[in-house]
Amino acid sequence: MAHHEPEPHHESHHDAKHGRRLPAVLEDPLLNKDTAFTEEERESLGLDGLIPPVVESLHEQAARAYEQYRRQPSDLARNIFLAGLQDRNEVLFYRVLSDHLRELLPIVYDPTIAQVIENYSREYRRPRGVYLSIDDVDGIERAFRNFGLGEGDVDLVVASDAEQILGIGDWGLGGGAGIAAGKLTVYTAAAGIDPARVIPVALDVGTNNEALLNDPFYVGERHARVRGERYDAFIEAYVSAATRLFPHALLHWEDFGPSNARRILERYTGRIPTFNDDMQGTGAIVLAALLGAIRVTGERMREQRVVVFGAGTAGIGIADQLRDAMKRDGLDDEEATRRVWAVDKQGLLTPDVAGLRDFQRPYARPSAEVEGWHRDEGGGIGLAEVVARVQPTVLLGTSTVRGAFTEDVVRSMKAERPIVLPLSNPTERMEARPEDLLAWTGGRALVATGVPFEPISCGGVRHVIGQANNALLYPGVGLGVVVSRARRVSDGMLQAAAEAVAGMVDVSAPGASLLPEVDNLRVVSATVAVAVARRGAEEGLARAELGDPVQQVQDAMWQPRYRPASGGRRERR
């Protein structure tokens, strides 16, 4: 992978009204060093007198910035402060982020990103990325060209139409812009994806959020969401332009609604390198947790009985990954599919459930199987009945139904070491809290959650609760695809990613976490990237030659450090 370090130049930005000329190096966050410019650089770049005379190290600047961060009164204010720092000096921003990753990750992304998105239009600041409107399809290529990156300059494009922002729903243009930029921040912080080689894209197809449509400050298109053929043509125009202009880039889809997410992924996954984190990333990180759990139980993947509560895009994405893992362990497709019971708000999926989506149909249980099962007043078969009948080894939740995994439900699993994964977030929407799960099972439950928890003591054992955080997986997948220049993202590459994550924890000690700590994201991402790149090469999907993938991954990881300033020119923004 070729890297092009941005080089400052003497060109200035000219304010015609006031006749003021500002050196461009101070205006570009990827070039600006603030007080870290050396005396020689200040002289050569015409900065004398434009910044304070002290010459500071990046370490000194980061200490001040973190102290400023700590003085902010709320999580939203902290995010706004960090965004301002990123807009001014990206190296410093990423240095602060990497120094305090566990603390700051929830501020720059989930869950604080929800507040940022909800306030996007009213707190509008510096634009970041490319804004594409379904009302201007002809302008897509022009917008990409205006961004200023050439054919070989882009590794990753993250796009969102923001129909289904986790936990808050449809947030229009602000949702797409906020989530795409936030996702790329994690890619860089966790895996060292070069921030100069990425593009966040907001796909504005309208919004059904009435509050936004009636907000005088809303900056997006003011009409209902467009669907059908016109929507598909817009997505096709986006993909065609992005792949033509940036032929080596990975296209990442984020927070699309269930009616579009799977359909889009299936349409393009065989044609281009593309990835949907809500489906594939979530499924792979849960598979990693389950692989860790069955190392504890000593069972095989093919032996698991899985109940998925919450059969939407994420839940079925997880089911697909677990089903495929069972197939790799020797089951045929029908056998593997029949070891997953999917329960949604209507109850257990069966052929007679109204509104069954295409991606849910493979998991619908035959009517004859559930004859005689108890049904509720609405005619559905509820979670408690399903668990009592199936006695699953694995119970996982993506439902956002608080407290759905009750003591009775968990006890009826009957497994010696029940594997319980309440994955919904935020915390107030979890299906069960880990301390309750451990108490109900005498410390025997194997638990991973979707939000972070401190270790829990139960029966004299300190239980470390692993977080099924997609940030443990998708940044490394992206880096592996970038390093290998993979033609597409295969199921085998996702399997390799899950196995790499699972292999980074020692589950032999009582109470051990099923997943690595988020603190070690750089190490985890590098390990995942090597596994993904190697699997891509083995499957004949790599377009780059992988002589030493471990070293190639290390060489590809951008580091937040200042580069010497020199002459030259950088074509961007």
Side-chain angles (χ1 to χ4, degrees):
M1 178 179 63
H3 276 273
H4 306 288
E5 295 294 354
E7 294 184 334
H9 53 88
H10 295 281
E11 204 173 282
S12 299
H13 294 170
H14 183 229
D15 185 325
K17 180 178 179 181
H18 300 289
R20 185 182 178 199
R21 301 180 65 86
L22 294 175
V25 71
L26 294 181
E27 297 289 297
D28 192 320
L30 281 163
L31 301 178
N32 184 25
K33 300 182 185 182
D34 290 318
T35 54
F37 284 109
T38 66
E39 292 180 358
E40 293 77 10
E41 288 170 337
R42 296 175 191 216
E43 181 178 356
S44 67
L45 296 170
L47 303 179
D48 288 333
L50 300 183
I51 49 180
V54 66
V55 177
E56 294 183 305
S57 67
L58 179 56
H59 174 76
E60 291 170 321
Q61 291 178 314
R64 177 193 295 112
Y66 180 62
E67 182 60 31
Q68 293 171 331
Y69 163 85
R70 293 184 63 189
R71 292 201 300 267
Q72 303 305 311
S74 67
D75 285 349
L76 179 59
R78 293 181 188 101
N79 178 282
I80 291 172
F81 168 79
L82 290 171
L85 181 62
Q86 185 178 17
D87 288 343
R88 190 185 86 229
N89 183 333
E90 280 205 73
V91 170
L92 177 55
F93 164 77
Y94 280 111
R95 174 59 185 270
V96 174
L97 185 56
S98 62
D99 285 349
H100 308 277
L101 192 56
R102 185 181 184 91
E103 177 187 354
L104 269 57
L105 200 59
I107 302 299
V108 299
Y109 198 60
D110 189 34
T112 308
I113 193 69
Q115 297 180 55
V116 175
I117 288 167
E118 290 170 340
N119 290 279
Y120 185 86
S121 292
R122 289 179 173 268
E123 295 285 350
Y124 181 77
R125 299 180 298 277
R126 180 181 184 271
R128 181 171 287 272
V130 171
Y131 301 80
L132 303 179
S133 169
I134 197 167
D135 298 331
D136 185 20
V137 176
D138 292 339
I140 291 175
E141 184 166 331
R142 182 173 66 252
F144 276 127
R145 292 191 184 282
N146 287 344
F147 194 69
L149 292 179
E151 178 178 313
D153 298 335
V154 179
D155 294 326
L156 178 61
V157 182
V158 174
S160 177
D161 74 353
E163 182 174 6
Q164 195 62 51
I165 303 292
L166 186 60
I168 61 172
D170 177 355
W171 278 86
L173 179 115
I179 212 73
K183 204 77 174 184
L184 284 169
T185 296
V186 181
Y187 265 114
T188 297
I193 299 292
D194 189 337
R197 299 177 59 84
V198 302
I199 307 177
V201 175
L203 298 170
D204 190 351
V205 299
T207 178
N208 291 340
N209 185 328
E210 289 290 339
L212 290 179
L213 293 174
N214 293 313
D215 184 346
F217 297 109
Y218 180 55
V219 294
E221 299 289 2
R222 292 178 181 273
H223 56 67
R225 281 189 172 268
V226 175
R227 302 195 184 278
E229 292 182 5
R230 187 178 166 208
Y231 177 92
D232 290 347
F234 176 58
I235 297 298
E236 177 65 28
Y238 157 68
V239 171
S240 296
T243 54
R244 183 172 62 255
L245 295 173
F246 316 116
H248 301 303
L250 168 65
L251 301 193
H252 175 128
W253 309 93
E254 188 70 20
D255 288 338
F256 284 72
S259 64
N260 292 318
R262 179 175 292 266
R263 196 167 51 83
I264 290 172
L265 184 65
E266 290 177 349
R267 178 183 302 165
Y268 295 108
T269 194
R271 290 169 41 183
I272 60 173
T274 191
F275 176 74
N276 183 307
D277 185 46
D278 304 306
M279 294 166 53
Q280 295 169 299
T282 300
I285 195 61
V286 174
L287 174 59
L290 187 50
L291 291 173
I294 64 176
R295 279 161 53 200
V296 176
T297 65
E299 297 173 339
R300 297 281 296 273
M301 192 70 205
R302 61 183 294 170
E303 299 170 330
Q304 304 310 306
R305 297 184 305 280
V306 181
V307 169
V308 177
F309 183 50
T313 300
I316 297 299
I318 294 169
D320 288 346
Q321 294 271 351
L322 302 188
R323 177 200 61 196
D324 291 346
M326 292 179 194
K327 289 164 62 176
R328 290 190 292 269
D329 198 27
L331 299 183
D332 64 30
D333 186 71
E334 183 178 356
E335 291 172 326
T337 304
R338 287 292 165 252
R339 296 192 77 83
V340 178
W341 287 259
V343 184
D344 210 33
K345 56 179 177 281
Q346 310 99 313
L348 179 68
L349 298 189
T350 57
D352 60 332
V353 168
L356 207 61
R357 296 182 181 274
D358 289 345
F359 62 85
Q360 296 172 323
R361 292 187 187 281
Y363 297 99
R365 310 302 297 193
S367 299
E369 176 188 329
V370 299
E371 189 174 340
W373 289 26
H374 174 74
R375 292 178 178 267
D376 57 30
E377 292 180 359
I381 300 173
L383 176 67
E385 175 73 0
V386 173
V387 173
R389 295 276 189 172
V390 173
Q391 295 184 9
T393 58
V394 181
L395 176 62
L396 64 89
T398 56
S399 68
T400 69
V401 178
R402 179 178 180 176
F405 295 171
T406 64
E407 182 173 0
D408 287 344
V409 165
V410 173
R411 287 185 180 278
S412 65
M413 291 178 71
K414 305 293 189 192
E416 176 63 27
R417 299 297 305 270
I419 301 167
V420 189
L421 310 174
L423 301 173
S424 293
N425 64 64
T427 306
E428 55 268 22
R429 298 194 180 194
M430 291 180 65
E431 291 82 6
R433 295 184 66 86
E435 60 267 32
D436 292 331
L437 295 171
L438 291 168
W440 298 336
T441 60
R444 292 180 294 106
L446 297 166
V447 181
T449 58
V451 295
F453 276 90
E454 294 299 318
I456 296 166
S457 293
C458 180
V461 175
R462 181 176 181 269
H463 293 263
V464 180
I465 307 301
Q467 183 189 1
N469 188 331
N470 289 22
L472 290 165
L473 192 126
Y474 72 81
V477 171
L479 181 59
V481 172
V482 168
V483 169
S484 65
R485 292 292 185 213
R487 291 182 179 87
R488 62 184 180 87
V489 180
S490 70
D491 291 340
M493 292 161 75
L494 296 173
Q495 174 199 356
E499 292 171 347
V501 172
M504 294 194 69
V505 289
D506 178 5
V507 296
S508 61
S513 174
L514 302 179
L515 291 164
E517 293 283 343
V518 175
D519 307 63
N520 299 319
L521 276 183
R522 281 254 167 173
V523 176
V524 175
S525 296
T527 304
V528 170
V530 171
V532 168
R534 281 178 170 158
R535 184 63 59 86
E538 291 167 4
E539 295 181 352
L541 297 174
R543 290 177 287 189
E545 184 176 345
L546 295 177
D548 184 352
V550 173
Q551 190 59 50
Q552 286 170 268
V553 164
Q554 291 299 320
D555 291 343
M557 295 179 78
W558 180 87
Q559 303 291 339
R561 62 172 181 265
Y562 290 131
R563 280 72 174 173
S566 62
R569 187 175 183 84
R570 174 168 165 266
E571 298 293 338
R572 181 178 173 198
R573 287 196 247 171

